[in-house]
Amino acid sequence: MCGIFGYIGHQSSLPILVEGLRRLEYRGYDSTGVGLHDGETINVHKTVGKVNNLKQVLPKEANATMGIAHTRWATHGGVTQENTHPHASYDGKVLLVHNGIIENYRPLRAKLISKGIELQSETDSEVLAHMIGLELENGASPQDSVRNMLKRVRGTWGICVMFLDHDLLLCARNGSPLIIGQGDGEMFVSSDPHPLTSHTQRVVYLEDGDMATVTRTSIKVASKQGRSIQTNVQTLEDSWAESELGDAPHYMFKEIYEQPDALRHCITGRVDREMGTGRLGGMRLAHSTLVQAPHVRLLGCGTAAFAAEIGQMLIEKMARIPAVTHIASEYRNNDPIINTKAIYLAVSQSGETADTISAIKEIKLKGGQVFGVVNVVGSTIARLCGQGVYIHSGPEQSVASTKAFTNMVGALTVFSMQLGRSRNMSKEQGRELIQQLQQAPHLMEAYFEDVGPIDEAVDLLANAKSVLYLGRGLSAPVAKEGALKLMELAYIPCLAYPAGEMKHGPMALLEEGSPVVVVAPSDHLKEKTLLAIHECKARGAKIILIHEKGDAIAEEGDVSIAIPKIHPWLTPLLTVLPLQLMAYRTAVRLGKDVDRPRNLAKSVTVE
């Protein structure tokens, strides 16, 4: 969500900060600002809107070699210049940027007002700057002033603090990621690894409870109590450099068409064709764990949850043991019963999803073993779990996920094979699945060579009051993912239902001309899906049908879009592609900001 970037070194900080903010744009935000320290004064520049808007109010040159910057996603207070970060203390000696939410900010705010401090914004973050300022005024060091402030607040934070009278940056983390990049005579602070890759590959990940003093030449990490912690410098992978747009009109367009190569990267080296099984060494699963697990539980939010639902069904089909998918934000708060022999999978593109992180902590607290299914190496979930599988889709710049979804499904398919072969799935079944899975990237490419009448589908979708998405079995979560994409990008209300549930309520929305998107591959549920199609058509609905090439069901659609034929258990890898393109082209037709939809963030780092 919100983004932080900081710099202290020997170069002019302004262009570095602006470029850092630009590389954080994909996270989603509504206002942005920078604070510059030239050794004598601190100057703040901020504005509502995008980084390009900020550029209009920045000086052409600045002598500052230290600064902090922020992209804000509104939580406390509206989208106004006053609420935009950075926030200054009452005396101007402290400047702060903050990601997260301070839960007890109201009584803290009231106490500041009682002391005669006039707050300039509605935010919870400004409170922190004033509290640090008061500590400094009472003689505390910068480190103690931040530490004393943190002892009095509840919530989540990733903060970077700059001081008028001190040549350093102070950073602290609790539940919101912060990474420090180590250069030569310069240091960088970021809430995300992407902006750091153009400056350095050497990074230090802060853990919850850490506080770091960052100078031009050193990083010193300490606990909240002041105990020194040894810094562990890690190396960023080259693949996490910013993805270049090239000739593509949008990042989402580019990432949709990158899916064949992304899926190849995901499955390469992870299947054993001879034995017909998956091979996920990073999960470090003992054979006894696979055989004795009573059930599998999968956790995720949004797109990750829909991928998890597909994984759940594949686990049950291949391994014949119960599997359940949970929305991570609900799971933790429902006081779950943890079976220490069960397998728990935490699915997240960013690896920073706050709700999923909280669920993992709850499971681990109660003795459960959690495995991460994530995209970002070194992310909080990856480090918290310590074991799992990277989906290797590469960086996604568009807020709406595409290639991460198919790679999550690909990774969960491989896991399901490994679990299934350890229990009851035959070698022959495993070999057939592997052969088809390895063909999936080629079939994706074949579909992209002829995507079908997507624009005819857009004609029906673009002016719709609402859109109903239907599917059965593995196609039900695919329908949910398709509905989410159209809703995210085009701001059209969408409902996704298992096709059998359509007559239990959603049918009331149907009227003459209502578009209904039906995902109907050639599986054992196709005939039942056909019944739902007939019920919709009888009420005047227009059917947008996703089907397999050569299937006679094509004649049932007002707009019929064919995908290549594939094993019924692998159809989600292909049926989702036209749904992504439909959402993308509808948003383009309506003039929406495809890569950065309103009110949304790529990485949801607050609960």
Side-chain angles (χ1 to χ4, degrees):
M1 299 177 82
C2 303
I4 287 174
F5 200 80
Y7 175 77
I8 179 170
H10 52 79
Q11 301 185 64
S12 173
S13 61
L14 181 56
I16 295 172
L17 295 171
V18 171
E19 179 62 14
L21 291 181
R22 189 187 68 77
R23 288 173 177 256
L24 287 168
E25 283 191 292
Y26 78 100
R27 292 171 68 99
Y29 68 105
D30 44 50
S31 56
T32 182
V34 298
L36 304 171
H37 194 320
D38 63 8
E40 296 180 358
T41 60
I42 291 178
N43 294 295
V44 178
H45 310 273
K46 51 188 180 180
T47 187
V48 168
K50 304 299 184 184
V51 172
N52 281 338
N53 300 88
L54 179 65
K55 289 178 180 178
Q56 306 307 311
V57 302
L58 291 175
K60 286 189 169 49
E61 292 183 5
N63 295 323
T65 56
M66 177 166 59
I68 56 178
H70 193 265
T71 54
R72 177 178 186 253
W73 193 83
T75 54
H76 294 77
V79 182
T80 67
Q81 187 155 325
E82 291 76 18
N83 290 336
T84 302
H85 297 222
H87 290 291
S89 60
Y90 58 92
D91 56 5
K93 293 186 177 182
V94 175
L95 199 68
L96 172 145
V97 290
H98 165 232
N99 289 352
I101 291 177
I102 304 304
E103 296 169 1
N104 63 332
Y105 89 101
R106 291 186 185 278
L108 296 173
R109 182 184 179 94
K111 190 167 186 178
L112 289 169
I113 292 171
S114 71
K115 292 178 178 287
I117 292 174
E118 187 175 331
L119 284 90
Q120 306 299 312
S121 76
E122 305 167 89
T123 68
D124 53 342
S125 306
E126 184 189 355
V127 169
L128 307 181
H130 294 307
M131 291 172 68
I132 296 170
L134 288 172
E135 293 288 338
L136 279 178
E137 188 179 350
N138 289 332
S141 67
Q143 290 84 354
D144 285 341
S145 66
V146 172
R147 189 172 290 117
N148 293 341
M149 176 274 292
L150 292 177
K151 289 176 182 177
R152 296 163 56 195
V153 300
R154 294 195 318 271
T156 57
W157 56 83
I159 61 171
C160 186
V161 190
M162 187 164 67
F163 301 84
L164 178 64
D165 300 327
H166 300 274
D167 191 32
L168 55 82
L169 298 176
L170 274 181
C171 304
R173 169 193 167 140
N174 183 54
S176 191
L178 270 186
I179 307 157
I180 302 168
Q182 184 180 51
D184 295 323
E186 57 187 353
M187 299 289 175
F188 309 84
V189 179
S190 180
S191 53
D192 195 293
H194 298 266
L196 296 174
T197 53
S198 61
H199 302 289
T200 181
Q201 301 297 115
R202 295 173 292 169
V203 298
V204 173
Y205 291 94
L206 295 189
E207 303 293 345
D208 284 353
D210 284 355
M211 192 175 86
T213 302
V214 181
T215 70
R216 298 168 200 272
T217 58
S218 68
I219 306 167
K220 294 181 179 177
V221 181
S223 67
K224 284 189 291 188
Q225 293 75 32
R227 179 175 52 85
S228 180
I229 298 172
Q230 183 175 355
T231 55
N232 179 22
V233 180
Q234 301 183 40
T235 303
L236 281 176
E237 291 194 353
D238 289 336
S239 62
W240 284 98
E242 184 191 29
S243 173
E244 296 299 331
L245 187 59
D247 295 330
H250 301 95
Y251 279 109
M252 184 178 182
F253 178 92
K254 177 175 178 285
E255 288 158 10
I256 287 173
Y257 282 87
E258 286 176 342
Q259 287 175 105
D261 281 340
L263 184 59
R264 285 190 185 96
H265 291 150
C266 177
I267 63 178
T268 296
R270 289 175 163 175
V271 290
D272 183 340
R273 291 191 69 167
E274 174 62 28
M275 298 304 296
T277 187
R279 189 168 53 198
L280 295 173
M283 298 193 80
R284 299 198 290 274
L285 277 164
H287 180 72
S288 58
T289 302
L290 293 169
V291 171
Q292 296 171 13
H295 60 260
V296 179
R297 295 187 183 269
L298 303 95
L299 309 163
C301 299
T303 286
F306 301 149
E309 286 185 27
I310 294 169
Q312 164 200 326
M313 295 183 207
L314 292 176
I315 289 165
E316 293 194 338
K317 289 176 184 297
M318 297 186 204
R320 306 306 299 159
I321 66 169
V324 184
T325 297
H326 299 273
I327 300 296
S329 57
E330 291 293 303
Y331 185 74
R332 173 208 181 195
N333 296 317
N334 288 340
D335 193 19
I337 298 169
I338 304 302
N339 187 324
T340 57
K341 292 184 178 180
I343 296 172
Y344 295 85
L345 302 178
V347 187
S348 168
Q349 184 280 137
S350 67
E352 302 293 351
T353 310
D355 291 313
T356 307
I357 290 169
S358 295
I360 293 169
K361 291 178 178 178
E362 181 72 11
I363 294 166
K364 292 185 71 174
L365 180 68
K366 295 179 177 178
Q369 194 172 20
V370 194
F371 301 85
V373 182
V374 299
N375 193 31
V376 181
V377 175
S379 61
T380 300
I381 289 177
R383 300 198 316 279
L384 191 59
C385 293
Q387 55 206 351
V389 53
Y390 289 115
I391 66 172
H392 292 313
S393 65
E396 268 191 340
Q397 299 291 320
S398 177
V399 167
S401 181
T402 51
K403 59 180 180 175
F405 173 80
T406 44
N407 273 30
M408 287 172 188
V409 172
L412 290 170
T413 302
V414 174
F415 169 76
S416 301
M417 285 186 205
Q418 185 174 347
L419 185 60
R421 285 288 288 120
S422 71
R423 300 177 75 103
N424 76 312
M425 192 169 75
S426 70
K427 183 189 295 185
E428 289 70 26
Q429 282 180 300
R431 284 175 172 173
E432 180 188 1
L433 270 172
I434 288 172
Q435 189 272 331
Q436 297 250 353
L437 179 61
Q438 290 178 325
Q439 282 297 309
H442 304 295
L443 297 177
M444 286 177 163
E445 288 168 339
Y447 170 71
F448 286 137
E449 289 175 4
D450 179 13
V451 299
I454 298 291
D455 286 334
E456 292 181 29
V458 172
D459 292 339
L460 296 175
L461 298 172
N463 298 312
K465 291 191 296 185
S466 64
V467 182
L468 181 62
Y469 283 71
L470 301 175
R472 279 185 178 268
L474 288 164
S475 297
V478 175
K480 292 181 184 179
E481 174 64 8
L484 177 64
K485 288 292 159 283
L486 185 64
M487 188 164 52
E488 285 179 320
L489 298 177
Y491 317 145
I492 297 172
C494 297
L495 278 177
Y497 269 81
E501 280 291 289
M502 183 265 303
K503 54 186 172 291
H504 293 284
M507 191 182 287
L509 294 175
L510 297 184
E511 54 190 37
E512 193 68 33
S514 295
V516 178
V517 180
V518 183
V519 184
S522 299
D523 57 19
H524 69 292
L525 295 168
K526 184 181 72 173
E527 295 304 318
K528 290 188 177 295
T529 305
L530 189 56
L531 295 176
I533 293 173
H534 290 160
E535 290 171 333
C536 292
K537 292 176 72 173
R539 286 152 183 85
K542 296 292 185 181
I543 304 298
I544 300 170
L545 181 63
I546 312 300
H547 64 91
E548 290 187 14
K549 191 169 290 186
D551 194 332
I553 198 175
E555 65 188 27
E556 299 289 344
D558 294 282
V559 177
S560 294
I561 301 171
I563 60 158
K565 187 172 180 59
I566 195 170
H567 191 288
W569 293 356
L570 303 179
T571 56
L573 294 171
L574 296 179
T575 53
V576 75
L577 304 181
L579 302 184
Q580 294 170 347
L581 286 172
M582 283 159 46
Y584 169 77
R585 291 197 191 176
T586 302
V588 170
R589 173 130 6 136
L590 296 175
K592 307 303 182 186
D593 187 341
V594 173
D595 287 331
R596 299 179 187 91
R598 69 187 184 199
N599 302 331
L600 297 180
K602 182 68 175 174
S603 179
V604 184
T605 56
V606 295
E607 293 183 24

